[in-house]
Amino acid sequence: MRSLYPPIEPYDRGMLEVGDGQAIYWETSGNPAGKPAVFLHGGPGGGTSALNRRYFDPDRYRIVLLDQRGCGNSTPHIADGADLSVNTTAHLIADIEAVRAELGIERWLVFGGSWGSTLSLAYAQKYPHRVTELVLRGIFLLRRKEIDWYYNGSAGYVYPDEWEKFLAPVPAAERDGDLVEAYHRLLHCTDPEVATAAAVAWSTWEAATSTLRPDPERTADAGDPRFALAFARIENHYFRHGGFLDEGQLLRDIGAITHIPGIIVQGRHDIVCPAVSAWDLHRAWPQSRLRIAHDAGHSATEPAIVHHLVEATDTFVAVPG
């Protein structure tokens, strides 16, 4: 089994002004002369962490991390009341391109999991000439049936105890309706206690269902109010708007990237992003290779997922950029 590479620190970092009053945090680590790779985090709203650098061989990759608008170290932060109207998929794609240009990178490997897989596909379809390979995990195509599965009841059949906690902030009269809409109202309530309680319930629902085996520390971290407010408000904003994508767009436009090699890593027992989406993507994209981790859920930190992701980046590092 492959494991994460040892911890490393960035050799450079900065804040890039991208318009709309937004500044994007970026960092580079590994080998400045290595193969460029960009890590696109999940959520949206999850932000990056030091662990994300460790999926890449630091001797052979130039590793770029960035925090998407409104979260992590990017400013302004959604928990501080930042404007969500300038936070869309098109904005994020433009921000990625701005960071690439700022760093003087011609082409790079794009790595993304969960929402990061959505954004990676959307970016690659917009700028296929900038992408050397794709490494994608926990595929989320942001189709309506995927949103309904996870936020409107079906996933609760697998996790009824956690689903009850997710429902708790929602008034009983609204529980049979669209819970994404119900949560939108709660997350933007003028009463900060109501908004925070809803944010924590939304965030911890995902954390509690992301791993095959329970991870209480992960769930506790997701309950941090500042993190939860940004995470829940940004996710809810995107999911209410279908990710600012046409229904089925990422499969419809797959022709733009069929020449790009890719490896898809999917947990067999992923409740957040069930394996059917990875299967649909793989069938539509002949250049992809699908790796199913049979003893894993959704999380990128589960050993079987780590093995396949590190194996994937090692596979592509020898390929010229």
Side-chain angles (χ1 to χ4, degrees):
M1 291 284 287
R2 300 305 311 277
S3 58
L4 294 170
Y5 281 96
I8 55 172
E9 292 298 318
Y11 64 80
D12 197 11
R13 67 183 77 198
M15 299 290 291
L16 179 63
E17 300 284 343
V18 292
D20 305 314
Q22 306 288 313
I24 303 301
Y25 170 80
W26 61 266
E27 64 172 55
T28 51
S29 56
N31 182 351
K35 178 176 180 138
V38 62
F39 180 97
L40 301 182
H41 67 70
T48 57
S49 72
L51 184 144
N52 302 146
R53 309 168 192 141
R54 299 175 59 191
Y55 293 99
F56 308 90
D57 183 342
D59 293 329
R60 299 194 287 172
Y61 273 105
R62 180 185 181 188
I63 307 157
V64 180
L65 271 57
L66 61 92
D67 286 338
Q68 296 158 32
R69 292 187 177 207
C71 67
N73 291 310
S74 292
T75 59
H77 199 274
I78 293 298
D80 297 328
D83 182 7
L84 276 167
S85 72
V86 294
N87 200 323
T88 70
T89 302
H91 286 105
L92 301 188
I93 291 172
D95 294 345
I96 296 165
E97 266 297 274
V99 170
R100 182 197 60 75
E102 174 73 9
L103 298 179
I105 294 170
E106 185 67 22
R107 302 172 74 223
W108 50 10
L109 178 148
V110 179
F111 181 118
S114 194
W115 159 256
S117 75
T118 317
L119 185 57
S120 296
L121 287 165
Y123 172 78
Q125 290 175 5
K126 177 75 172 177
Y127 295 104
H129 58 293
R130 299 300 185 191
V131 180
T132 55
E133 301 91 14
L134 287 158
V135 176
L136 306 176
R137 187 265 315 163
I139 302 304
F140 184 34
L141 299 175
L142 237 164
R143 296 172 291 185
R144 184 66 212 189
K145 63 184 180 181
E146 295 169 74
I147 298 295
D148 286 341
W149 156 265
Y150 192 62
Y151 290 105
N152 278 321
S154 297
Y157 283 85
V158 184
Y159 281 93
D161 48 344
E162 300 299 339
W163 182 249
E164 188 170 288
K165 298 173 189 176
F166 179 74
L167 285 179
V170 181
E174 298 180 46
R175 292 179 184 177
D176 290 331
D178 184 352
L179 294 173
V180 174
E181 286 297 327
Y183 258 94
H184 173 71
R185 181 182 61 77
L186 294 168
L187 290 167
H188 296 278
C189 180
T190 55
D191 183 339
E193 291 189 7
V194 172
T196 300
V200 169
W202 177 287
S203 182
T204 55
W205 159 244
E206 183 164 333
T209 57
S210 286
T211 53
L212 183 60
R213 295 172 178 80
D215 186 346
E217 184 177 348
R218 180 190 186 94
T219 305
D221 288 345
D224 172 75
R226 182 173 176 81
F227 170 84
L229 279 167
F231 185 77
R233 283 175 174 168
I234 296 174
E235 276 202 341
N236 181 270
H237 168 66
Y238 273 76
F239 300 164
R240 287 183 72 236
H241 293 94
F244 302 94
L245 302 168
D246 295 336
E247 179 68 17
Q249 177 179 326
L250 297 177
L251 292 181
R252 182 197 70 195
D253 294 347
I254 199 70
I257 65 166
T258 50
H259 64 288
I260 298 175
I263 294 176
I264 301 166
V265 177
Q266 179 67 40
R268 171 69 75 187
H269 304 285
D270 190 334
I271 298 299
V272 183
C273 297
V276 65
S277 295
W279 184 251
D280 290 345
L281 176 62
H282 174 55
R283 292 190 61 170
W285 178 20
Q287 284 289 88
S288 69
R289 285 170 274 176
L290 176 61
R291 304 287 184 257
I292 294 180
H294 293 284
D295 55 349
H298 183 67
S299 172
T301 61
E302 293 177 277
I305 299 289
V306 169
H307 166 76
H308 287 297
L309 290 174
V310 173
E311 188 177 61
T313 59
D314 282 354
T315 296
F316 287 138
V317 75
V319 180

